[in-house]
Structure formats: C-alpha cells, structure tokens
C-alpha cells in the first residue's frame, strides 16, 4: 500500500511540474523586451514608442485551434471596446506568418483587429519559447503585468478586467 501511495505521489508531482508553462521567458514585473514591427508601408512600430499606454500583445497562428477560439473574443470584448482609448494599444502578432498570410486570414475571417507578422519568430522569441495563444499585458511603464498561455474564457475575462483597471 505504501508503494502505491509513493508511486501515486510521484505521478501527481510530475504532472504538476509538466503542467506549468516552462516556456515563458518573462515573469510578472519584468521589463517587456522592446521589439520593432515593420508595417506594410515600410514604417516601423516599436514597443518602446508605446510607453505610457497599456499594451496587449497577443501571439497567435492561423492554424492554431485555441487561437481561432480566442480571436473572436479578442476582437469583440477587447478591440471593439477599447480601440478608441488613446491609452491602449493591441498588437496581434502572427507567429511565423508574413503580411500576405495575416492579411488573408484577416479578410477570410472578417476581422478588424490589427494583425502584424512575425515571420522569423524574432518577436515571439523575446517573450516565449513555444505554445500559443499567448497574451502579455504591458503596463504604462513598460512592465509585464499579465503573462498567459492558452485560451480559457474565465481567465480571458480576468485579463480584460486587469486591463480596464490599468486604464483607470
């Protein structure tokens, strides 16, 4: 009986370790790494240029099921609600996608969200190693205040509430 209990303990302990996201490079209160996104017209948008705003960074891929589940919520509950707030910026970044791919995806799915490409995973690599969707909320001082992986409606709602709190 003791052996069974011991084996069960190790199995449950291992499951807990593997369930934690060991692929996030950032912790809460870390300074968000700066990055640049080349726009279609050739201009460049830098995260550091957005200091003073609350920034929601979402990493997704067109083939990712949980990402596809999350994006309608991101558009309806976040973008459509906060797009006129001058203290807020949403960056939806297509991991390993180019402009043609993100634009086609946007058109095919009737999105109005601001999509950006990260074809070589250069931006994503500053924030995580793998697993999407990912959301990072950056406060007005440039610090990470939320880092989440996957899509869960309850957690997503909590992130929205955190953003609204930061915008007060």
């Amino acid at each position: 009986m003791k052996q069974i209990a011991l084996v069960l303990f190790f199995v449950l302990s291992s499951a807990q370790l593997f369930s934690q996201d060991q692929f996030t490079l950032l912790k809460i209160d870390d300074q968000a790494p700066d990055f640049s996104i080349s726009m279609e017209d050739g201009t460049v948008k830098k995260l550091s240029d957005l200091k003073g705003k609350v920034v929601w960074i979402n990493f997704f891929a067109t083939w990712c099921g949980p990402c596809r589940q999350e994006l309608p919520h991101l558009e309806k509950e976040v973008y459509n609600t906060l797009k006129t707030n001058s203290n807020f910026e949403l960056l939806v970044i297509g991991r390993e996608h180019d402009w043609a791919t993100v634009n086609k995806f946007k058109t095919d799915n009737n999105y109005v969200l601001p999509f950006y490409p990260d074809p070589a995973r250069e931006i994503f690599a500053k924030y995580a190693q793998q697993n999407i969707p990912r959301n990072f909320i950056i406060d007005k001082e440039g610090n990470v205040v939320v880092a989440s992986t996957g899509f869960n409606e309850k957690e997503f709602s909590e992130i929205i509430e955190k953003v609204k709190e930061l915008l007060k």
Side-chain angles (χ1 to χ4, degrees), residues 25-151:
L25 301 175
L26 302 174
K27 299 181 303 292
I28 303 303
D29 296 327
D30 282 352
Q31 184 72 29
D34 199 16
F35 59 84
S36 299
I37 297 176
S38 296
M39 310 307 287
E40 280 187 289
D41 65 4
T43 61
V44 174
K45 181 182 281 197
K46 295 175 72 175
L47 180 63
S48 56
D49 294 339
L50 302 175
K51 197 162 188 177
K53 293 185 177 196
V54 174
V55 181
W56 184 314
I57 302 170
N58 171 273
F59 291 102
F60 84 102
T62 60
W63 49 263
C64 166
C67 301
R68 287 175 161 269
Q69 189 180 6
E70 178 179 67
L71 287 170
H73 292 276
L74 192 59
E75 179 163 288
K76 181 180 179 188
E77 299 164 36
V78 178
Y79 184 68
N80 288 347
T81 304
L82 298 173
K83 65 184 174 188
T84 59
N85 188 322
S86 62
N87 294 314
F88 177 76
E89 185 90 17
L90 175 63
L91 304 173
V92 184
I93 302 173
R95 189 183 80 175
E96 298 178 5
H97 295 315
D98 57 19
W99 275 111
T101 304
V102 295
N103 285 338
K104 181 178 182 338
F105 180 77
K106 183 176 180 174
T107 301
D108 289 351
N109 291 282
N110 298 312
Y111 284 123
V112 294
L113 289 164
F115 286 96
Y116 304 95
D118 183 18
R121 260 181 131 155
E122 292 172 1
I123 301 168
F124 184 79
K126 293 179 180 207
Y127 287 77
Q129 294 175 345
Q130 55 188 43
N131 300 332
I132 49 176
R134 283 192 179 268
N135 291 290
F136 293 92
I137 306 303
I138 314 303
D139 68 14
K140 293 178 181 181
E141 289 77 40
N143 300 309
V144 176
V145 294
V146 172
S148 76
T149 306
F151 175 67

